[in-house]
Amino acid sequence: MLDSPVAAERLARLGYGYLAFDAQHGLFGYQGLLNNPIATDTRGSTAVGMVRVEANDPTYIGRALDAGAAAVIVPLVDTAQDAADAVAAVRSPPYGRRSYGPMRAQLRIGPDPADTHEQTAVLAMIETAGGLADVEEICAVPGLDGIYVGPSDLRLAIGGRTSTDPDVADAFEQALTRIRTAAATAGIAAGIHNGDGVSAARRLDEGFTFASVAADVVHLQQIAATHLDAARKGGRA
């Protein structure tokens, strides 16, 4: 969420498989979407850089890929046609309509389109009522590498009053089962965002292929609060 290449450089060395940079809700301009993937490629990194783009638009998707994103997460995918449009924006002709101009990406992905097709992924977010209703058709779209659950929006989409409403917990879990099953049937990856590592472990045990673990701003706040609490308990308040 935070545009901090130094933080990205440190996180990339901790063992994570990827860092996802959020251009939809995060605090990034384009320079941040260029500098943070560069930082992710630091010596000792275990991670690749992914970008959640602003919208399902060829311009946003192409610029993220040109900056070196190994994958794009495309938000608000409601239909199979939306997913097909996202795939077309990622793939070069004859498979899609991405404009050729890899810029930084050619240093680590490609530059030949055939290499790019093998080394970049497109993930469609399932987070709306339409996306859930059409999830089987979305997962079956040729060229789609995976889906990614946005749990907050999905909970609202199924009737939650808030993004964490416990009253729709059963319906939410049923939706996740349907999403995982659709992805498994289609032979594509299924990912989900989580607020903490315990939740991520649970989702992986349930069959999700990959799981994001909170966000940098959450990590920062939680650790700062923990240190502050320890300092106060260890001395005079």
Side-chain angles (χ1 to χ4, degrees), residues 14-66:
L14 294 180
Y16 288 100
Y18 64 88
L19 300 182
F21 302 106
D22 189 356
Q24 184 188 25
H25 293 299
L27 306 177
F28 292 93
Y30 185 71
Q31 196 63 43
L33 292 181
L34 175 63
N35 291 340
N36 283 277
I38 291 174
T40 303
D41 290 335
T42 183
R43 180 179 179 183
S45 172
T46 60
V48 298
M50 305 200 303
V51 174
R52 175 160 73 167
V53 295
E54 294 97 315
N56 190 359
D57 183 281
T59 299
Y60 296 135
I61 292 171
R63 283 171 67 82
L65 294 172
D66 289 350

Side-chain angles (χ1 to χ4, degrees), residues 77-86 130 134-141:
V77 172
D78 291 322
T79 65
Q81 184 58 57
D82 288 344
D85 290 342
D134 208 25
V135 67
E136 290 82 9
E137 289 75 17
I138 289 171
C139 288
V141 168

Side-chain angles (χ1 to χ4, degrees), residues 9-187:
E9 188 174 36
R10 285 177 172 259
L11 291 172
R13 297 167 62 94
L14 294 180
Y16 288 100
Y18 64 88
L19 300 182
F21 302 106
D22 189 356
Q24 184 188 25
H25 293 299
L27 306 177
F28 292 93
Y30 185 71
Q31 196 63 43
L33 292 181
L34 175 63
N35 291 340
N36 283 277
I38 291 174
T40 303
D41 290 335
T42 183
R43 180 179 179 183
S45 172
T46 60
V48 298
M50 305 200 303
V51 174
R52 175 160 73 167
V53 295
E54 294 97 315
N56 190 359
D57 183 281
T59 299
Y60 296 135
I61 292 171
R63 283 171 67 82
L65 294 172
D66 289 350
V72 290
I73 303 169
V74 182
L76 301 173
V77 172
D78 291 322
T79 65
Q81 184 58 57
D82 288 344
D85 290 342
V87 171
V90 171
R91 307 301 179 202
S92 300
Y95 309 107
R97 56 191 300 263
R98 178 184 173 189
S99 176
Y100 185 80
M103 299 305 291
R104 177 186 174 254
Q106 66 183 308
L107 302 177
R108 60 177 305 277
I109 301 172
D112 293 337
D115 296 328
T116 302
H117 294 157
E118 292 182 358
Q119 299 174 31
T120 57
V122 53
L123 309 171
M125 290 199 72
I126 305 298
E127 56 183 341
T128 65
L132 179 60
D134 208 25
V135 67
E136 290 82 9
E137 289 75 17
I138 289 171
C139 288
V141 168
L144 187 69
D145 297 294
I147 54 175
Y148 186 76
V149 176
S152 295
D153 279 319
L154 182 62
R155 196 176 290 259
L156 293 172
I158 62 174
R161 292 168 297 176
T162 68
S163 62
T164 58
D165 188 353
D167 291 342
V168 296
D170 289 344
F172 181 74
E173 294 301 325
Q174 291 172 9
L176 294 187
T177 298
R178 179 179 177 183
I179 291 167
R180 287 197 313 271
T181 301
T185 299

